[in-house]
Amino acid sequence: MTTAGRGRDGRWRILETIEYDVVIVGGGTAGSVIASRLSADPGIEVCLIEGGPSDVGDQRILHLRNWLGLLESEFDYDYPIVPQPRGNSYLRHARARVLGGCSSHNTMISFLPPPDDFADWVNAGAAGWSYEEMVPLFKRLAVNIVPVAPKDRNPLTEDFVAACHRALGVPVVENFNAAPFADGTGFFPVGYYPETGVRSSASVAYLHPHLDRPNLTVLTEHWAYHLDPSTGVSVKNGRNVKRIKARHEYVLSAGAVDTPRLLLLSGIGPAKDLEQLGIKPQHDLPGVGANLLDHPESLILWEASRPIPPMSAMDSDAGLFVRRDPSADRPDLMFHLYQIPFTVNTERLGYDVPEHGFGMTPNVPRPRSVGRLTLADAGPATKPLLDFRYFTDPGGYDERTIVDGLRLAREVAATEPFASWIAREIAPGPALRSDQELSAYGRAAHHTVYHPAGTCRMGRADDEMAVVDPELRLKNVPNVRIADASVFPTMPSVNPMVTVLMVGERAADLISAELNRE
Ligand SMILES: Cc1cc2nc3c(=O)[nH]c(=O)nc-3n(C[C@H](O)[C@H](O)[C@H](O)COP(=O)(O)OP(=O)(O)OC[C@H]3O[C@@H](n4cnc5c(N)ncnc54)[C@H](O)[C@@H]3O)c2cc1C
């Protein structure tokens, strides 16, 4: 670590450099796993740099059901998006600013992806990331993943599951992680401790038990704004500027928004774009910031016929997976059931806000629209430009998925025992029926389930747009790896946190194998 002070000219000066074996930028979902696994070896000195505060003892973070209260709070970087010609330009992307990262903020829905998702990764050049190679990493995860506990199962949600089964013929699944599934409905597997309602985040599961390790330094409220692998990571802590150097390597785990942002600020990215911003290119890597992926989802909102009982793990406890393509082995349409009225986007469109309400959210599991992250200027504090290009895929696949989903949701809504919970459909409203009407509503009201990924994607050495190789090494830049959601070559069909945790586990294996060889 290097500390800084002001010289006579008032400028900040670096006073001292402190070195560690491994320096991890971002104490989030993947970063917590890597710091924990590496520091289990007392011979490895690890420094974990986290931009946000600690979550230890903070019930606002630890109590899983409070996740909605964290949106746009002091624990959220809260990124806007650029205007979307075919999507909802108003949505904001939550990114957690706290130890544990988004696993300290999210709903902890915890899915192992289906085998074909990893086959897609291998086909995209990620050799060594097949389903068979990933399952052992899933089995060793320290997060406490359990199906929503019986005491938290809401009667509304139980009736939803029964109606999905009856209306669509999909199986009721008790544990989605027990075996690969092509379709199904049921309560989600969730990373939490049902007795206390505490989230089993990456921080709780991987860091809290080991914070007293002498070889693990966790620097909270430290923001990395520049990386030069030969001299170190420059970080800000309030008014203090420090530089932290790695003897062995740097691991960037700042997430799918902030990892490419840090690279671009450091002159690593598309050289032409960097020059235009006045940033001196250090390494021309055209793929940095490209391949911005997300799971968009829309909403069908109902007014409840009666108050909804209070029990729940986190207010979105169950869902539905549908396979429209009968020849496929995995779902191509997904829904969360929200047991609460999530009306941020419908209210803006003029729809009523019910006192008691709930909704189903048609979601595109493998979206075909691809966006891009760029910088607005060279200032480290300026938020990056996120252009998801929602619903712009040329074949209209993403839009079609939302339209099909709104129609299927109406079938479920017409089926008992769910039907009698519904007083009326508020949005899109029964008058909207045609493809065109459902598409226009579905896109205007769509939101995100906060799954940005892919902005530093993994691929073959000869793939010009790949940013890291299958061992997560940054191309052409020695001693730097990336390990977080940004390395995803393609989007998993399910909620991505478990995949990020597995990326963390794999990164730790790769780094310790290399350290042990030295
Ligand atoms: C509200 C919400 C709900 C979600 N629900 C689910 C769900 O139920 N299931 C699921 O599977 N997925 C869910 N997700 C997505 C999932 O949580 C993320 O995909 C995953 O946690 C991302 O992990 P990561 O390691 O890539 O990044 P993060 O976990 O975001 O970690 C990045 C860390 O880096 C830190 N950081 C960033 N920049 C810097 C910097 N320059 N210097 C220092 N530190 C920095 C951040 O503070 C953060 O702690 C949700 C996300 C959100 C926001």
Side-chain angles (χ1 to χ4, degrees):
M1 180 160 66
T2 304
T3 48
R6 277 189 198 280
R8 282 203 198 123
D9 57 2
R11 291 223 181 121
W12 288 102
R13 292 264 190 287
I14 302 295
L15 296 178
E16 182 194 8
T17 300
I18 302 181
E19 296 187 352
Y20 300 86
D21 293 317
V22 178
V23 173
I24 304 162
V25 178
T29 309
S32 299
V33 177
I34 301 164
S36 174
R37 293 299 188 203
L38 291 181
S39 63
D41 178 344
I44 304 177
E45 282 193 326
V46 177
C47 178
L48 182 65
I49 302 169
E50 166 54 33
S54 171
D55 63 324
V56 175
D58 192 333
Q59 291 309 317
R60 293 171 296 177
I61 306 293
L62 297 175
H63 188 60
L64 175 62
R65 210 172 168 185
N66 189 44
W67 72 274
L68 263 176
L70 301 177
L71 292 173
E72 297 178 33
S73 73
E74 67 194 277
F75 302 107
D76 184 1
Y77 295 115
D78 183 32
Y79 291 116
I81 62 173
V82 307
Q84 298 293 294
R86 305 205 74 241
N88 175 5
S89 306
Y90 297 90
L91 65 80
R92 319 270 311 180
H93 262 269
R95 293 283 87 191
R97 198 189 76 83
V98 61
L99 202 58
C102 288
S103 77
S104 288
H105 183 177
N106 67 11
T107 41
M108 291 301 295
I109 297 167
S110 299
F111 278 104
L112 172 65
D116 282 351
D117 285 0
F118 290 112
D120 285 348
W121 282 28
V122 174
N123 288 335
W129 294 79
S130 69
Y131 182 75
E132 291 69 28
E133 287 157 302
M134 296 304 282
V135 167
L137 299 178
F138 173 71
K139 287 191 175 154
R140 76 181 206 206
L141 293 182
V143 169
N144 190 53
I145 300 173
V146 290
V148 169
K151 73 170 182 59
D152 291 329
R153 295 190 175 196
N154 195 296
L156 164 79
T157 313
E158 286 178 326
D159 288 348
F160 160 79
V161 169
C164 288
H165 171 60
R166 195 174 289 170
L168 306 175
V170 295
V172 175
V173 181
E174 179 50 33
N175 180 359
F176 281 101
N177 287 329
F181 59 91
D183 51 19
T185 179
F187 283 85
F188 290 136
V190 176
Y192 82 130
Y193 301 95
E195 342 52 269
T196 56
V198 167
R199 63 172 67 245
S200 179
S201 63
S203 174
V204 168
Y206 283 87
L207 287 180
H208 289 198
H210 308 301
L211 287 170
D212 58 353
R213 283 179 181 161
N215 60 326
L216 172 63
T217 301
V218 178
L219 299 174
T220 51
E221 301 280 11
H222 281 66
W223 180 256
Y225 62 91
H226 191 267
L227 168 71
D228 176 346
S230 54
T231 57
V233 189
S234 303
V235 298
K236 269 195 84 179
N237 165 232
R239 286 167 54 82
N240 290 325
V241 184
K242 301 175 183 174
R243 194 178 297 149
I244 303 172
K245 193 165 176 351
R247 281 187 284 265
H248 177 72
E249 75 171 82
Y250 301 88
V251 186
L252 304 187
S253 297
V257 173
D258 281 297
T259 287
R261 178 186 184 188
L262 177 61
L263 287 174
L264 294 170
L265 286 170
S266 308
I268 302 170
K272 266 194 215 141
D273 295 2
L274 294 172
E275 272 159 7
Q276 274 173 10
L277 291 163
I279 298 173
K280 188 165 171 242
Q282 304 296 334
H283 297 279
D284 183 16
L285 266 183
V288 175
N291 194 43
L292 176 61
L293 308 171
D294 190 23
H295 280 145
E297 68 176 30
S298 196
L299 173 71
I300 178 163
L301 175 69
W302 296 290
E303 181 171 14
S305 58
R306 55 194 190 273
I308 299 159
M311 59 284 268
S312 177
M314 44 72 190
D315 293 313
S316 173
D317 297 347
L320 165 67
F321 289 92
V322 178
R323 180 177 44 151
R324 287 167 300 163
D325 172 4
S327 67
D329 290 331
R330 52 183 166 170
D332 56 24
L333 174 53
M334 190 252 181
F335 300 82
H336 297 86
L337 174 78
Y338 273 95
Q339 297 162 202
I340 48 170
F342 189 80
T343 53
V344 179
N345 297 300
T346 49
E347 190 179 0
R348 189 175 38 76
L349 297 173
Y351 287 101
D352 293 347
V353 177
E355 187 185 352
H356 303 290
F358 51 89
M360 271 173 82
T361 61
N363 176 302
V364 191
R366 286 182 303 286
R368 295 187 183 171
S369 306
V370 177
R372 185 174 185 89
L373 175 152
T374 52
L375 295 183
D377 60 42
T382 311
K383 290 186 181 184
L385 302 174
L386 298 175
D387 183 3
F388 284 91
R389 300 185 52 72
Y390 289 118
F391 305 107
T392 58
D393 60 300
Y397 172 87
D398 294 355
E399 174 180 6
R400 177 81 246 160
T401 305
I402 295 293
V403 170
D404 289 349
L406 290 168
R407 289 223 167 86
L408 279 183
R410 281 177 172 162
E411 283 184 43
V412 174
T415 306
E416 291 296 1
F418 191 52
S420 49
W421 284 94
I422 296 173
R424 69 182 170 113
E425 180 184 309
I426 295 176
L432 302 192
R433 307 214 72 84
S434 71
D435 279 6
Q436 248 180 351
E437 287 167 336
L438 292 178
S439 168
Y441 160 81
R443 288 181 292 105
H446 91 90
H447 63 118
T448 170
V449 256
Y450 312 106
H451 297 170
T455 45
C456 297
R457 77 167 167 80
M458 182 166 34
R460 273 179 287 272
D462 62 354
D463 177 348
E464 198 193 86
M465 293 303 282
V467 175
V468 295
D469 71 10
E471 300 215 325
L472 303 174
R473 286 180 295 232
L474 186 59
K475 276 170 69 179
N476 309 327
V477 184
N479 308 332
V480 183
R481 260 180 244 258
I482 300 180
D484 56 27
S486 62
V487 303
F488 289 11
T490 58
M491 194 60 139
S493 310
V494 290
N495 311 54
M497 179 197 65
V498 159
T499 311
V500 176
L501 293 167
M502 292 192 291
V503 168
E505 292 278 4
R506 166 60 64 84
D509 281 358
L510 292 166
I511 297 164
S512 40
E514 221 172 82
L515 279 164
N516 288 330
R517 270 200 302 271
E518 278 179 359

